[in-house]
Amino acid sequence: MRRILGKPVVIASTLVGVFMACVGLYWFQPWKLWVDDTVRDELPAAAPATQPDAVPDAPSGTANPSDKPRSSAPPTLLTLASGSLISHEHSTSGTAEIIRLPDGSRTLRLENLDTSNGPDLRVWLTDAPVKEGKDGWHVFDDGKYVSLGKLKGNKGDQNYALPADLDLKGLTSVSIWCDRFDVSFGAAELTAPA
């Protein structure tokens, strides 16, 4: 037995096998199937309304005349589009909303997200139609898409800032995209509120 294990071919085969096992573990990251990353981002909020500062040498309660009075009503968030996530390669649920903040910036918000963890998951806005079942797994990289970055966690509520110069025209869906295997874990068709 010692003669067989000591042969260069057996040693080389063993080293190649160990190397391939390590590459496979890195590539597939199977432990992520049992690990959940929960994120609880707060809903983006506007800065509180402020009153003009008082003039330093003016009598108490006198406002600076150069300041214009501001409304004290809290600014509101505006939903530009929303949709429910459906499952593709992995069971996925939750909602996606594109929200305009009072300062004019926009954010994609994922609420109650529940999907599998995986290697190299991204959040994409795309022009692809959302299709159910296997037909929808691979369509999102066929056309125009904008990556909003890595998925923060596979569960919870998350916010993704949209680039200021991003034209949303034609971007009709959001996908939880596995960049490593070019497959959608889940997606939502985005529609404007009625």
Side-chain angles (χ1 to χ4, degrees):
M1 182 67 144
R2 217 173 247 196
R3 283 185 182 181
I4 294 174
L5 294 177
K7 290 190 176 193
V9 171
V10 173
I11 293 172
S13 297
T14 303
L15 290 176
V16 168
V18 169
F19 175 76
M20 294 304 289
C22 290
V23 168
L25 285 172
Y26 170 76
W27 190 254
F28 288 98
Q29 299 178 0
W31 58 87
K32 287 194 172 188
L33 292 173
W34 295 280
V35 176
D36 288 328
D37 292 325
T38 302
V39 175
R40 295 282 179 219
D41 285 348
E42 293 294 321
L43 184 66
T50 58
Q51 297 298 322
D53 294 333
V55 177
D57 293 329
S60 177
T62 304
N64 184 344
S66 66
D67 287 338
K68 296 178 183 173
R70 298 181 192 166
S71 169
S72 60
T76 58
L77 304 174
L78 177 64
T79 299
L80 302 176
S82 64
S84 295
L85 290 160
I86 65 167
S87 300
H88 280 152
E89 171 71 21
H90 293 265
S91 178
T92 301
S93 62
T95 59
E97 290 182 299
I98 296 179
I99 301 169
R100 177 177 293 145
L101 304 177
D103 64 4
S105 64
R106 298 163 302 174
T107 193
L108 173 73
R109 178 154 175 88
L110 301 177
E111 289 189 333
N112 301 313
L113 175 66
D114 188 359
T115 191
S116 298
N117 209 339
D120 207 13
L121 294 180
R122 307 288 173 156
V123 178
W124 282 9
L125 284 176
T126 78
D127 65 352
V130 176
K131 299 177 182 177
E132 295 205 22
K134 283 189 172 187
D135 291 341
W137 288 14
H138 302 283
V139 300
F140 297 100
D141 60 348
D142 293 342
K144 179 181 176 186
Y145 63 88
V146 177
S147 178
L148 301 179
K150 289 189 173 199
L151 186 69
K152 295 176 183 179
N154 64 309
K155 296 188 179 297
D157 305 324
Q158 305 166 29
N159 302 318
Y160 297 88
L162 302 184
D165 61 346
L166 178 63
D167 183 5
L168 292 175
K169 188 176 182 179
L171 296 175
T172 58
S173 60
V174 61
S175 174
I176 308 302
W177 186 257
C178 179
D179 217 18
R180 177 146 315 150
F181 296 105
D182 291 330
V183 67
S184 173
F185 274 36
E189 184 175 340
L190 298 172
T191 56

